[in-house]
Amino acid sequence: MKQNKVPKATLQRYPIYLKALRKLHHMGVERIMSRELGNFVDIESTTIRRDFSFIGSLGKQGYGYDVASLIDVFNGQLGVNFDEKLILVGAGNLGRALMNYNRWNHVVGEIVCAFDTDNDKIGSLSEVPVYHLRDLKQYLPEGCRIAILTVSGNAQETVDLLIESGIVGIVNFTHEHIQAPKGVIVRTVDVVSTIQELIFQVNNF
Amino acid sequence: MKQNKVPKATLQRYPIYLKALRKLHHMGVERIMSRELGNFVDIESTTIRRDFSFIGSLGKQGYGYDVASLIDVFNGQLGVNFDEKLILVGAGNLGRALMNYNRWNHVVGEIVCAFDTDNDKIGSLSEVPVYHLRDLKQYLPEGCRIAILTVSGNAQETVDLLIESGIVGIVNFTHEHIQAPKGVIVRTVDVVSTIQELIFQVNNF
DNA sequence: AAGCATTTGTGATATGATGTACAAGGGTGA
DNA sequence: TCACCCTTGTACATCATATCACAAATGCTT
């Protein structure tokens, strides 16, 4: 895995494959060929085969891939941890929706606790406890690497604090563009920008 | 605009530029150079200039770009419509959070109404009315092209219905992979996959 | 047991995106 | 008004990604 650089584009497709494979497994599919999987996820079979080849020789010629063991390899080699501890920073509308949205149990781990600066939001609204952001260091779970950011202001300041505390991956739901040093990965999910891009594409047919 | 194909990668950056330009305009900045804008959004100045060049010659040599008129050009040429009518399909936790999350007013239009199949959710929980999905055709706003999908099941079926009703752009918050015919653009925003990708990248350093 | 039909994995190639270098031309100050 | 300076817009080079084409290898059938 670490020996050869996996292209960024490939890395972005792994979650798609994993999701599809889980679904297929659930449907009782035991083996699959790159062609079929390609139709399923709308990706060229040749792209899939090359993407898989970065991890190793996972298939058998003239046969295809074994779904169950493929899932295992993905989980293992890619370091998916079902107990990955996530924190949520910002317990507003969106943050609370994400807390209640516990569909990701047993897929990527779960939100262990949340933080906010608004005293009204501190406490246990749902199953997830909400602490004050100033107590971050105290309550930050051991081994927690990834934070979901849904604050409504001071995003950069909050990010700096998170990074200082050891967070290395941030899912940014904020409208602000945030900066992070090398080694920290930020992925911005902006509904507004997504809609805009969609409009641009639609207008551009 | 339509004469020359705008690269996909560029199309994905336009919303970033637009967001940054609005912020700069708000801050009172009247003119900007590609270099400065580049620092602001973490994109190479040369990439910015090239991206802009697909729309036209928007800047002046030795001067830079006029922020206000640049915003106008983007809005106009790219077809941003502040009154773009959006619908929301699926009024669960996430759907309701998005309805309350009216930060996008005056940026891309707003959610006009929502649809769900659960009778308990029909009515006016917030300012946004919620209708039964079976009445889609009746309540679908005139000229509405884009739908935000937050249903928890039967995603593909719902998508087919939306497309049949004239929707050409879908923001998919569902975990399911959905298929759409050519001409309809689907953009999937999957928190779980985003987190996974982040984990893969972090593990891959 | 042997050969055929498949499908993988990968070198070679085409396409697309990004980065470099610089000519062209407007803005600014004297 | 003139000359210099600065920044744009783009040709060219480089890098990344996707696609093509096929040899190698396995399962399946007879």
Side-chain angles (χ1 to χ4, degrees), chain A residues 84-96:
Chain A
E84 182 82 37
K85 292 183 180 75
L86 310 170
I87 59 166
L88 180 80
V89 182
N93 277 323
L94 187 59
R96 283 197 297 264

Side-chain angles (χ1 to χ4, degrees), chain A residues 63-192:
Chain A
Y63 175 89
Y65 300 86
D66 182 76
V67 176
S69 57
L70 203 50
I71 292 173
D72 284 349
V73 171
F74 264 80
N75 287 337
Q77 288 292 313
L78 296 174
V80 174
N81 185 349
F82 302 132
D83 300 324
E84 182 82 37
K85 292 183 180 75
L86 310 170
I87 59 166
L88 180 80
V89 182
N93 277 323
L94 187 59
R96 283 197 297 264
L98 291 173
M99 280 193 252
N100 292 327
Y101 191 55
N102 266 339
R103 293 296 211 89
W104 54 50
N105 280 352
H106 310 297
V107 179
V108 284
E110 55 186 345
I111 296 174
V112 175
C113 60
F115 298 90
D116 204 298
T117 50
D118 181 353
N119 284 318
D120 293 349
K121 286 170 187 151
I122 312 297
S124 294
L125 297 141
S126 67
E127 302 129 39
V128 181
V130 181
Y131 305 113
H132 197 284
L133 187 61
R134 82 168 81 85
D135 301 325
L136 176 65
K137 271 165 192 160
Q138 185 181 342
Y139 292 111
L140 186 70
E142 188 69 24
C144 174
R145 303 181 296 168
I146 291 174
I148 301 169
L149 189 71
T150 58
V151 297
S152 51
N154 292 98
Q156 184 63 56
E157 204 178 298
T158 309
V159 166
D160 294 342
L161 180 65
L162 290 170
I163 292 170
E164 202 186 299
S165 306
I167 292 294
V168 292
I170 295 170
V171 184
N172 174 31
F173 278 95
T174 290
H175 296 314
E176 292 177 51
H177 175 79
I178 58 182
Q179 289 185 299
K182 252 185 176 320
V184 177
I185 297 162
V186 177
R187 194 124 308 239
T188 295
V189 179
D190 183 338
V191 189
V192 174

Side-chain angles (χ1 to χ4, degrees), chain B residues 11-61:
Chain B
L11 231 35
Q12 290 183 315
R13 282 188 293 266
Y14 281 153
I16 298 172
Y17 300 142
L18 198 41
K19 186 161 61 171
L21 289 168
R22 283 223 184 76
K23 188 165 185 179
L24 288 163
H25 186 62
H26 194 75
M27 285 160 62
V29 178
E30 291 182 2
R31 73 181 242 200
I32 195 162
M33 293 164 307
S34 59
R35 177 91 59 96
E36 293 178 90
L37 185 57
N39 290 336
F40 200 71
V41 297
D42 268 322
I43 296 174
E44 279 291 320
S45 62
T46 176
T47 301
I48 293 178
R49 292 203 298 277
R50 192 197 317 284
D51 283 347
F52 285 5
S53 78
F54 289 109
I55 302 180
S57 287
L58 311 179
K60 285 178 191 162
Q61 280 112 326

